[in-house]
């Protein structure tokens, strides 16, 4: 995973293109345009294409032909979810349906008055979290812990299009100032959300097997939860057929609460999601060091 530099794929320019397509052509035509955009990436995003091929061929066991065809579907699914993100936030939420699977675990967690940690990954569309909390819970309690180097520029542009989000960001900083913000959020009985499937170059890591091969994971989220006995949920928001989004929340109830056990439980949950929704796994780089 050494090739990831702490910056997710995507840019303000990409978001501007998505917004332009939706406003100019409408949502359904935008999906049609996306058919050609996805094809472009198959041929001109070589390293990303190679990484997706290895995911399907080596780690999910697809045939060579099956892996090749699913590269295109993976790109199309990623683009469609980005279009959904903009469309929902721009007033087209009524076109979508939302399923709350395990949402009661959020309230159970908050009732403990110790804050909470939600562990997710770069999978699905967790950017829609606000829309799953609007009616069920106060989304002001959510703090996304992020490393994306372009987060401010992207955040500012999206807010100019869709309005200011009430979901807060805590950005990992070299001066460790983020630790104070995380501790304060927990004291306020708020939720910290970590996409814990990647690490930055300076981060301390654990090594565990994931999808059949050893992978490094950041120690931070797992140590924070275990050492402070903070309740944990595994959460994902996944796109399904007919404009339907499925929110999953699963509690972590360990016999022995330590960081390594939490990591193993997280990996087990994540493998279930990746195998069920393989086209919504968005690590478009050499995640398993397959290129070596």
């Amino acid at each position: 995973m050494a090739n990831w530099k702490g910056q997710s794929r995507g840019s303000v320019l990409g978001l501007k293109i998505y917004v332009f397509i939706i406003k100019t052509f409408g949502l359904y035509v935008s999906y049609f345009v996306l058919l050609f955009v996805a094809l472009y990436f198959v041929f001109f995003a070589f390293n990303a294409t190679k990484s997706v091929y290895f995911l399907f061929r080596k780690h999910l066991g697809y045939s060579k032909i099956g892996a090749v065809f699913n590269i295109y579907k993976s790109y199309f699914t990623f683009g469609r979810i980005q279009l959904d993100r903009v469309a929902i936030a721009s007033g087209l939420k009524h076109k979508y349906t939302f399923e709350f699977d395990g949402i009661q675990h959020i309230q159970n967690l908050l009732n403990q008055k110790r804050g909470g940690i939600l562990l997710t990954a770069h999978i699905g569309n967790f950017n829609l979290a606000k829309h799953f909390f609007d009616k069920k819970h106060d989304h002001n309690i959510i703090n996304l812990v992020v490393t994306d180097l372009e987060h401010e520029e992207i955040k500012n542009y999206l807010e100019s299009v869709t309005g200011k989000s009430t979901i807060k960001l805590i950005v990992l900083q070299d001066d460790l100032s983020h630790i104070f913000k995380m501790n304060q959020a927990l004291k306020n009985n708020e939720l910290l959300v970590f996409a814990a499937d990647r690490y930055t170059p300076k981060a301390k890591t654990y090594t565990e097997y994931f999808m059949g091969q050893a992978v490094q994971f950041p120690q931070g989220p797992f140590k924070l939860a275990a050492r402070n006995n903070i309740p944990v949920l595994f959460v994902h928001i996944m796109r399904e057929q007919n404009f339907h989004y499925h929110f999953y929340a699963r509690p972590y109830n360990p016999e022995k609460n330590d960081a390594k056990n939490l990591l193993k439980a997280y990996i087990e949950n994540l493998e279930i999601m990746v195998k069920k929704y393989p086209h919504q796994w968005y690590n478009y780089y050499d995640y398993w060091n397959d290129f070596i």
Side-chain angles (χ1 to χ4, degrees), residues 2 10 13 27 31 61 70-71 87 159 172 218 233 258 260 286:
L13 176 61
L27 184 59
Y31 287 151
N70 280 282
I71 293 170
E159 288 181 355
L172 299 178
L233 294 178
D258 63 39
K260 293 297 288 288
D286 190 11

Side-chain angles (χ1 to χ4, degrees), residues 188-259:
N188 294 338
N189 198 30
E190 297 179 5
L191 306 177
L192 300 179
V193 182
F194 294 90
D197 56 337
R198 297 180 187 171
Y199 67 93
T200 53
K202 295 181 181 180
K204 294 181 179 180
T205 62
Y206 292 124
T207 300
E208 288 290 343
Y209 275 82
F210 170 55
M211 304 291 290
Q213 192 167 326
V215 174
Q216 291 176 283
F217 293 87
Q219 292 184 7
F222 306 100
K223 281 187 174 181
L224 176 64
R227 288 178 176 177
N228 298 282
N229 198 28
I230 301 169
V232 174
L233 294 178
F234 304 129
V235 295
H236 304 287
I237 299 177
M238 310 305 297
R239 194 187 201 280
E240 296 181 342
Q241 293 182 343
N242 301 320
F243 300 93
H244 182 73
Y245 275 91
H246 190 147
F247 175 93
Y248 292 89
R250 298 292 182 265
Y252 172 62
N253 297 311
E255 294 182 3
K256 181 181 179 182
N257 189 14
D258 63 39

